[in-house]
């Protein structure tokens, strides 16, 4: 188990990253806060040392992504209406003037969100992303290229959800 000082340091260093990843996946502040607590609890309980600060950050990112996916697969989530559907019910669409790049990223299919987030927001290289997500480097490049094309279509007014 890690010390209180270690936990405080990790929260100070990685809290923004964890929250942003959660918002990309969950689009919900309450769920983001729940996952935030889960991730740092797992960090405190994880007793094995990290090889470096980069290894520690990659571990936290991986745990965050997995926790988000677990929540999305949960029974409770399966029985609720996603925010995208609520927005559609309210009449919001990609053609609205307030629709921006972040919303376009959030509208991407699930397999592209992590790669786009890590590459553009966290500024990881494709090689680093391949290690974090345990995917082939060429797969990461392919996912990035496809995501860029989808974003271009979406932001130019094409692509129906």
């Amino acid at each position: 188990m890690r010390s209180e000082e270690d936990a405080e340091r990790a929260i100070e260093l990685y809290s923004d990253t964890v929250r942003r990843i959660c918002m990309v996946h969950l689009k919900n502040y309450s769920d983001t806060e729940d996952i935030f607590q889960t991730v740092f609890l797992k960090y405190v309980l994880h007793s094995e040392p990290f090889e470096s600060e980069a290894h520690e950050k990659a571990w936290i990112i991986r745990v965050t992504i997995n926790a988000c996916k677990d929540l999305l697969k949960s029974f409770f989530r399966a029985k609720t209406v996603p925010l995208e559907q609520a927005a559609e019910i309210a009449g919001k669409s990609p053609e609205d003037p307030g629709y921006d790049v972040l919303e376009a990223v959030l509208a991407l299919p699930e397999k592209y969100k992590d790669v786009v987030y890590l590459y553009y927001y966290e500024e990881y290289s494709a090689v680093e992303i391949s290690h974090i997500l345990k995917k082939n480097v060429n797969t990461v490049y392919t996912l990035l290229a496809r995501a860029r094309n989808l974003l271009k279509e979406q932001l130019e007014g094409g692509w129906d959800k």
Side-chain angles (χ1 to χ4, degrees), residues 50-120:
F50 295 105
E51 297 169 10
S52 64
E53 196 170 304
H55 178 234
E56 180 180 56
K57 185 176 182 180
W59 184 89
I60 286 181
I61 289 170
R62 183 78 255 157
V63 168
T64 303
I65 290 169
N66 288 342
C68 289
K69 288 180 179 180
D70 289 345
L71 180 66
L72 291 170
K73 289 187 286 187
S74 73
F75 175 78
F76 172 76
R77 288 294 276 207
K79 301 298 179 191
T80 59
V81 177
L83 283 179
E84 295 90 27
Q85 287 181 356
E88 288 173 15
I89 292 168
K92 182 154 177 64
S93 71
E95 290 77 31
D96 291 342
Y99 197 82
D100 65 358
V101 175
L102 179 59
E103 289 172 327
V105 170
L106 294 175
L108 284 172
E110 197 65 37
K111 63 183 176 182
Y112 301 119
K113 287 180 189 177
D114 293 331
V115 175
V116 168
Y117 174 77
L118 292 173
Y119 188 80
Y120 289 104

Side-chain angles (χ1 to χ4, degrees), residues 32-49:
T32 295
E33 290 303 308
D34 289 345
I35 296 300
F36 180 89
Q37 291 178 8
T38 301
V39 168
F40 287 105
L41 177 61
K42 286 182 180 183
Y43 175 82
V44 168
L45 297 175
H46 183 78
S47 58
E48 295 178 30

